[in-house]
Amino acid sequence: MKKDLRVILSGGGTGGHIYPAIAIANEIKTRYPETEILFVGASDRMEMEKVPQAGYKIEGLWISGIQRKLTMSNLMFPFKLLSSLAKSRRIIKEFKPNVVIGTGGFASGPLLKVASSKGIPSIIQEQNSFPGITNKLLAKQVDKICAAYEEVKRFFPAEKTIITGNPVRQDLLKIDANREKALKHFELESNKKVVLVLGGSLGARRINQLVEANLERFKKENIQLIWQTGKLYFEEYKKYDSGLVQTHMFLNNMNLAYGAADVIISRAGAGTVSELSIVGKPVLFIPSPNVAEDHQAKNAQAVVKKNAALMLKENELDEKFETVFFGFMASEEKQRKLGENIKKLALPNATARIVDEIEKLIK
């Protein structure tokens, strides 16, 4: 295959769409250092900051999603779409890509539509067990779909769909070897259980409220907590940082946090679920109800039905959390079983497999 490739990656709106795109770009660059890579995102979303931080150029489209209620943004949608299609045509004409890859989010829609209509090889990478509207609309037009879950095959043309998994950080592959280092890093005792609580970088209000309400029970059970409150809630909850409880705004060393944990309480974004499968620790998922098409609950359910995790929805927490979670903490056998089962779902070589598929497409 020629070495001086030109590749466009498009995806964004959330970290769940941006980080897989960056991982794919990095893998392409590793194999073909001369490749020219351009990202295309939504002009007012986080990709405009995160992609340049990762060392890549990005162009922004004036695009956004449809809101569920009547808003000014919805009324502007047709104009934004036409503007984004026109700019996508210009970008593709000027950049002349050999392949276009979409990782989800609204910006990838216009770009992949234009690319596929011009016969440029195009791929979508679907992270969730239930595809978003953009990828559902594009599925018939693109050449290939790299998916993370078997469940998506019922939404996409079977002959184009390959189960590759989601790109994840490679440092997670060695967390078992880091157990001692991890406990030392967080100054934790090896003879007490460690529960890691994750609500995402901004934080999850309901998960934070849940932990606060159960702090006395955690202490009574002698459980050590690594509690990531998130940026929005740290000031409110940092007062609890003492003894068995550690509050953190962010966890910069996620591999060490995973390494220290015995049990994890987490949201169920697609990237997080893929990471936790590789980590192979027992998990209680509390999906966010505030995401499009209830993606997180569907992601979690795909794992739960394989007896590889527990799940409680937010509206079940008051009634069921204490019984379910502390009952689970009392059963070493149940913890071991869930950890083993979730590990079986791991696809650690996803990024390499996706780039293998890209290579096949443009040879």
Side-chain angles (χ1 to χ4, degrees), residues 42 57 71 73 141 159 230 232 242 275 349:
K57 288 186 291 191
T71 62
S73 178
Q141 296 169 304
E159 69 282 0
L232 298 179
S242 68
E275 282 194 359
N349 302 314

Side-chain angles (χ1 to χ4, degrees), residues 148-159:
Y149 293 92
E150 286 286 342
E151 282 80 355
V152 300
K153 283 187 169 175
R154 62 199 169 100
F155 301 103
F156 293 145
E159 69 282 0

Side-chain angles (χ1 to χ4, degrees), residues 297-362:
K298 286 163 182 153
N299 292 341
Q301 195 57 52
V303 181
V304 170
K305 73 179 190 191
K306 294 186 170 81
N307 193 28
L310 299 176
M311 175 174 89
L312 287 173
K313 293 193 170 182
E314 283 196 355
N315 60 10
E316 300 175 307
L317 292 175
D318 291 340
E319 189 188 335
K320 295 183 179 175
F321 176 77
E322 210 168 334
T323 311
V324 169
F325 184 75
F326 291 104
F328 173 61
M329 288 303 293
S331 170
E332 292 285 347
E333 176 56 23
K334 179 86 171 161
Q335 290 169 41
R336 186 186 62 75
K337 195 77 191 147
L338 290 193
E340 284 173 3
N341 287 351
I342 199 169
K343 189 95 174 167
K344 289 174 192 165
L345 306 179
L347 294 165
N349 302 314
T351 315
R353 291 177 68 189
I354 292 162
V355 177
D356 290 345
E357 294 300 329
I358 294 166
E359 284 183 338
K360 286 179 203 168
L361 195 59
I362 53 182

Side-chain angles (χ1 to χ4, degrees), residues 182-285:
L183 292 173
K184 199 171 172 186
H185 175 81
F186 287 102
E187 298 176 0
L188 296 164
E189 294 177 42
S190 58
N191 60 339
K192 292 176 183 165
K193 286 279 187 185
V194 179
V195 172
L196 171 64
V197 181
L198 302 172
S201 56
L202 294 177
R205 177 183 289 283
R206 191 65 189 89
I207 291 178
N208 287 334
Q209 289 169 339
L210 176 78
V211 174
E212 182 181 41
N214 285 277
L215 278 176
E216 289 311 310
R217 181 71 193 268
F218 280 114
K219 288 175 185 171
K220 187 178 150 196
E221 302 281 346
N222 231 2
I223 291 169
Q224 301 174 108
L225 278 186
I226 302 174
W227 177 10
Q228 187 205 33
T229 62
K231 187 178 175 181
L232 298 179
Y233 305 105
F234 181 69
E235 290 303 317
E236 192 179 338
Y237 293 105
K238 67 180 183 185
K239 63 188 176 198
Y240 295 115
D241 190 292
S242 68
L244 294 168
V245 180
Q246 293 186 19
T247 55
H248 299 265
M249 186 187 301
F250 296 114
L251 289 163
N252 293 320
N253 298 90
M254 275 313 297
N255 58 329
L256 292 178
Y258 286 139
D262 293 297
V263 173
I264 298 164
I265 297 172
S266 176
R267 286 301 202 201
T272 302
V273 175
S274 295
E275 282 194 359
L276 291 173
S277 301
I278 286 169
V279 167
K281 301 277 177 90
V283 181
L284 167 66
F285 287 119

Side-chain angles (χ1 to χ4, degrees), residues 17 104-105 124-139 145 147 149-157 161 292-295 298-299:
H17 296 312
I124 51 180
Q125 194 262 322
E126 174 54 65
Q127 295 105 30
N128 291 290
S129 63
F130 187 90
I133 191 162
T134 306
N135 282 355
K136 272 193 206 161
L137 292 170
L138 290 167
I145 298 151
Y149 293 92
E150 286 286 342
E151 282 80 355
V152 300
K153 283 187 169 175
R154 62 199 169 100
F155 301 103
F156 293 145
T161 307
E293 301 175 73
D294 208 18
H295 272 148
K298 286 163 182 153
N299 292 341

